[in-house]
Amino acid sequence: MPAVTALWLAANPGGLNWSAPGAAGGASGSVPWNIVILMTLLTLLPALLLAMTPFVRLLVVLHFLRQALGTQTAPSNQTLIGLALLLTFFLMQPVGEVIGKVAVTPFAAGKISAMDAIDRGSVPLREFMLKYAREKDLALFIELSKQPRPQNASELSIRVVAPAYLLSELKAGFQIGAVLFLPFLVVDLVVAAITTSMGMVQLPPVVISTPLKILLFVLVDGWNLLVGSLMKSFG
């Protein structure tokens, strides 16, 4: 639900109207309870943002790119995290709009309880995760949870889907990162072979290969290609 709320807020900048319900109290409870629920959601938000959105895959690939370029601290961690967050919100906005319509807006209006909002909001998020979770990972957590094998994917709980989705995203991120390394590895090998054959043992090959890799990345418009490929991988 924290990730659900964050996605809806991203899709609806106006935010929630946490005004007091009518004299009867409404289905959402009193204003203090609304505040308690909201603060709890904000506390758990970072962990669930990592586990239930494309943020993990995006950040893993961006860090692999920096290692492949050999620039160490450029771009900085803050820059990579910011880019990953922006791309995550871009990808999750359609899901956030659906969650806001079926769960958050009725809850804010006092038409449903907090638990009903959680149940409704988890459905679109679970469907998104199921789209990218591998069957092998889902089967693993079904076995570990000792649950009976479901008849269809809609019967799977968040307890099974979320960790399976996270494993699948890690695998996808490492696969893309490994492919990213290959062209830069070729540059490193060529430079090392040339410098060694010329007897330039005093000058580390990385000193020459790093600017060459950066130049190659800039010439092919690497950021545009990388971000475009990443976004299309979620198509």
Side-chain angles (χ1 to χ4, degrees):
M1 190 61 184
V4 167
T5 306
L7 294 175
W8 183 83
L9 288 174
N12 301 271
L16 297 176
N17 179 18
W18 293 97
S19 58
S28 62
S30 62
V31 172
W33 276 112
N34 286 339
I35 295 174
V36 169
I37 292 172
L38 179 61
M39 295 304 295
T40 303
L41 300 180
L42 292 176
T43 302
L44 298 175
L45 177 61
L48 293 188
L49 179 64
L50 286 173
M52 304 170 75
T53 68
F55 181 77
V56 170
R57 184 193 302 192
L58 297 170
L59 190 60
V60 166
V61 172
L62 292 175
H63 276 285
F64 267 113
L65 172 65
R66 188 173 64 181
Q67 292 296 319
L69 287 172
T71 54
Q72 302 301 322
T73 57
S76 64
N77 288 332
Q78 291 85 348
T79 303
L80 296 182
I81 292 172
L83 177 59
L85 281 173
L86 290 175
L87 296 178
T88 298
F89 283 123
F90 181 86
L91 289 167
M92 297 299 291
Q93 185 176 4
V95 180
E97 290 177 349
V98 175
I99 292 171
K101 182 178 179 181
V102 302
V104 182
T105 299
F107 172 67
K111 297 179 180 178
I112 60 175
S113 66
M115 293 306 299
D116 289 336
I118 292 174
D119 291 338
R120 291 188 182 186
S122 64
V123 174
L125 194 59
R126 184 175 67 241
E127 291 176 353
F128 172 83
M129 290 189 290
L130 280 172
K131 186 177 179 181
Y132 301 103
R134 298 187 307 161
E135 291 186 7
K136 183 177 181 181
D137 295 326
L138 290 170
L140 171 64
F141 284 98
I142 291 174
E143 179 183 354
L144 293 176
S145 64
K146 302 187 186 306
Q147 295 180 1
R149 194 172 187 86
Q151 297 297 323
N152 52 66
S154 62
E155 297 179 4
L156 292 172
S157 64
I158 289 287
R159 179 192 176 196
V160 171
V161 176
Y165 169 77
L166 185 56
L167 281 187
S168 301
E169 288 296 281
L170 286 172
K171 178 179 174 59
F174 273 75
Q175 286 178 330
I176 298 172
V179 174
L180 270 178
F181 254 101
L182 295 179
F184 299 111
L185 178 62
V186 172
V187 175
D188 284 331
L189 291 174
V190 171
V191 171
I194 293 175
T195 55
T196 302
S197 63
M198 295 176 61
M200 300 173 60
V201 293
Q202 295 84 2
L203 185 65
V206 69
V207 176
I208 301 175
S209 65
T210 298
L212 291 177
K213 290 188 290 186
I214 296 174
L215 180 61
L216 173 64
F217 188 70
V218 172
L219 288 176
V220 300
D221 198 7
W223 286 111
N224 183 279
L225 291 174
L226 176 63
V227 172
S229 300
L230 279 173
M231 302 300 274
K232 290 175 183 177
S233 69
F234 290 97

